[in-house]
Amino acid sequence: MSSSVVVVGSFNVDHVWRCESLPAPGATIAGRYSTGPGGKGFNQAVAACRAGADTHFVCALGDDAGGATARDLAGEDGFALIAEASSEPTGTAGIYVDARGRNTIVIGPGANAALSTDFLQQQQALLTGARVVLVQLESPVQTIEAALAAAREAGVTTVLNTAPADAPSTIGLLKLADVITPNETEFAALLGRHVGERVDANDVAALDGASLHALCRKLVGNGTVVVTLGSVGVFVSHADENLRGDTQPYYRVGAEQVQAIDTTGAGDAFNGALAASLAQLPEAPFARHVRFANQFAGRSTEKEGAAAAMPRLTPADVEIR
């Protein structure tokens, strides 16, 4: 088996406005504009590549300047881009970032919504020959499910980033993932949708470990849940019968101390780095992968942008405490 990561997901052209505060309803405020590459799938592919993994990115692109940009940037970064041609325009995102690094985002899916199961079936050899397949939910859920199913059947490690929070999902989809990686908002949404548990997203980080672990186990009985909690860090919950090399079924990992100026793409940085570490060090305890991904994500917030802010940092470059 290779040490490659295959990312299936979205590419967007990001339109970013940096302002003192996030715009309120009805408000008109001044900001500084920039544009660049983004989309959860592309961001995660860049992160995986810069974290040292042999990376392939499967997506859908329009026949336009945005699609050409995606191909050019993938080539510059050194990962393979395999795109389904779409009559829809390449995806876009409008992003507002305030002086504290917080953001709000509006997505225009475009070609991302056209990524088909037929095209994924054509990538069967790629998916089944990888060490890790990483997906998100900015593409059609049936296509993402097909990617996970093909990888799972071949014994490939599957990672599902359950973002964005309002994306459709099923218990069957969650069961196809060895690891799911929601943030607190996505975790609360999944609990409400699939378990019937009503938990305020703002309260997730404050839950005690045993309670949070119990909620994770209700959500996915056999998989590992990694809840990313922003500045608070990460919570990890394993099934008792599969600790993935760890010594305990649940634990917290604190956030890295960084000077954050832009958190856009930090979750994508974490996911790409986690997949890259799992691919390169398959025998290492899971906690080592999480700590590396934490460091990688922390450093990504010290620069402006999403894909462009991903650091060049591999698991071999850092000392894991």
Side-chain angles (χ1 to χ4, degrees), residues 3-292:
S3 61
S4 68
V5 171
V6 175
V7 182
V8 179
S10 57
F11 173 83
N12 291 323
V13 178
D14 287 350
H15 300 278
V16 184
W17 289 266
R18 303 186 189 281
C19 5
E20 189 63 28
S21 59
L22 297 177
T28 299
I29 61 176
R32 178 166 56 91
Y33 172 78
S34 62
T35 186
K40 288 187 176 299
F42 188 81
N43 292 344
Q44 292 176 18
V46 172
C49 178
R50 294 188 184 181
D54 175 19
T55 303
H56 296 72
F57 176 48
V58 180
C59 63
L61 298 173
D63 182 17
D64 51 24
T69 295
R71 293 183 174 89
D72 289 345
L73 291 174
E76 291 173 11
D77 246 301
F79 62 90
L81 186 149
I82 303 96
E84 181 174 15
S86 173
S87 60
E88 294 293 321
T90 298
T92 56
I95 303 171
Y96 298 88
V97 183
D98 71 7
R100 296 169 58 186
R102 300 175 303 174
N103 62 70
T104 58
I105 304 174
V106 179
I107 301 292
N112 294 318
L115 184 62
S116 68
T117 54
D118 287 345
F119 188 72
L120 260 292
Q121 289 171 358
Q122 296 171 32
Q123 316 310 319
Q124 186 87 358
L126 182 66
L127 293 166
T128 59
R131 189 174 291 279
V132 178
V133 168
L134 169 62
V135 299
Q136 328 76 37
L137 298 175
E138 286 184 337
S139 304
V141 66
Q142 65 270 22
T143 304
I144 295 305
E145 189 164 342
L148 291 178
R152 169 61 70 83
E153 186 175 355
V156 175
T157 298
T158 52
V159 180
L160 168 62
N161 176 218
T162 52
D166 61 352
S169 61
T170 66
I171 283 292
L173 177 73
L174 300 182
K175 287 182 177 179
L176 288 171
D178 295 305
V179 181
I180 69 168
T181 59
N183 64 19
E184 59 264 64
T185 302
E186 295 147 8
F187 183 65
L190 290 171
L191 288 173
R193 186 179 305 138
H194 300 304
V195 182
E197 292 275 1
R198 303 298 171 185
V199 178
D200 191 306
N202 295 321
D203 297 333
V204 170
L207 291 172
D208 66 90
S211 298
L212 191 46
H213 177 57
L215 290 171
C216 292
R217 292 305 93 215
K218 286 184 178 181
L219 186 61
V220 289
N222 296 319
T224 290
V225 182
V226 180
V227 186
T228 56
L229 302 169
S231 61
V232 178
V234 177
F235 180 81
V236 177
S237 168
H238 296 301
D240 287 340
E241 63 274 17
N242 188 4
L243 300 185
R244 301 190 183 280
D246 288 340
T247 58
Q248 49 194 337
Y250 64 89
Y251 54 89
R252 293 178 186 266
V253 177
E256 292 295 307
Q257 298 301 308
V258 296
Q259 297 296 316
I261 63 171
D262 186 355
T263 59
T264 307
D268 297 331
F270 181 92
N271 279 278
L274 180 67
S277 187
L278 286 165
Q280 293 172 83
L281 302 172
E283 303 303 321
F286 193 78
R288 189 191 197 287
H289 304 306
V290 171
R291 290 189 174 94
F292 169 70

